[in-house]
Amino acid sequence: MEELDRRLVELLVADGRMSFTDLGRATGLSTSAVHQRVRRLEERGVISGYRAVVSPVQLGLPLTALVSVTPFDPSAPDDVPQRLAPIREIEDCHSVAGVESYILKVRVATPGDLEDLLARIRSAANVSTRTTVVLSTPWEGRSVSSPAPELDD
């Protein structure tokens, strides 16, 4: 990928609402050249979408947990992601190497809600779970093209 395209991606990761005019100013390209490059990046799948980043705490979901999932029957078809997809509290589903098959990132309001969610996950996917509750999140959601976050000492 060309350096100008990398710079455009970096700028859009930092501010997905940045105008083509502002992107042009930041890169030295014309507005039409920026528009063409961004459109090509979207068509190639480099940019796969735009979204609002929201505060889970402000949405009433202050409890984050990582749930490791292991099927009871390893010889059964691996349809865990499809079985769990309808459960809205699951934010991320990662297939992993190791003892567990998947690690889920979930967000809920209370410990009781987490307990209920775990029961629903076990029932829906016929799996055992191991849960780690997140105490704090110094940073998250960084794209691979983003600079390292600045942390307070």
Side-chain angles (χ1 to χ4, degrees):
M1 182 180 338
E2 291 181 36
E3 190 57 38
L4 272 173
D5 290 338
R6 286 188 190 281
R7 179 69 179 137
L8 287 170
V9 168
E10 184 178 290
L11 290 165
L12 286 169
V13 164
D15 180 1
R17 297 181 66 175
M18 194 174 214
S19 71
F20 292 140
T21 302
D22 290 339
L23 289 167
R25 282 192 201 110
T27 59
L29 296 172
S30 70
T31 301
S32 63
V34 167
H35 184 265
Q36 289 175 346
R37 282 180 177 266
V38 169
R39 185 175 40 80
R40 278 193 302 246
L41 290 166
E42 291 168 347
E43 289 170 353
R44 289 177 27 216
V46 174
I47 298 173
S48 59
Y50 302 87
R51 64 188 177 109
V53 178
V54 298
S55 167
V57 172
Q58 293 297 318
L59 292 175
L61 303 170
L63 197 157
T64 302
L66 304 174
V67 180
S68 300
V69 172
T70 306
F72 285 125
D73 181 1
S75 65
D78 185 5
D79 59 355
V80 169
Q82 293 81 1
R83 288 172 175 244
L84 298 178
I87 301 175
R88 304 279 305 156
E89 296 92 339
I90 301 173
E91 189 172 300
D92 298 314
C93 176
H94 302 279
S95 176
V96 296
V99 176
E100 290 91 3
S101 297
Y102 295 92
I103 296 179
L104 314 173
K105 181 166 123 185
V106 304
R107 296 192 192 264
V108 294
T110 68
D113 292 337
L114 179 58
E115 188 174 20
D116 293 341
L117 174 60
L118 293 172
R120 290 183 7 236
I121 289 170
R122 291 181 196 120
S123 174
N126 195 30
V127 295
S128 65
T129 61
R130 185 174 55 86
T131 304
T132 302
V133 173
V134 174
L135 298 177
S136 70
T137 304
W139 53 272
E140 71 179 338
R142 179 175 68 174
S143 169
V144 292
S145 67
S146 297
E150 293 182 25
L151 301 177
D152 295 333
D153 291 328

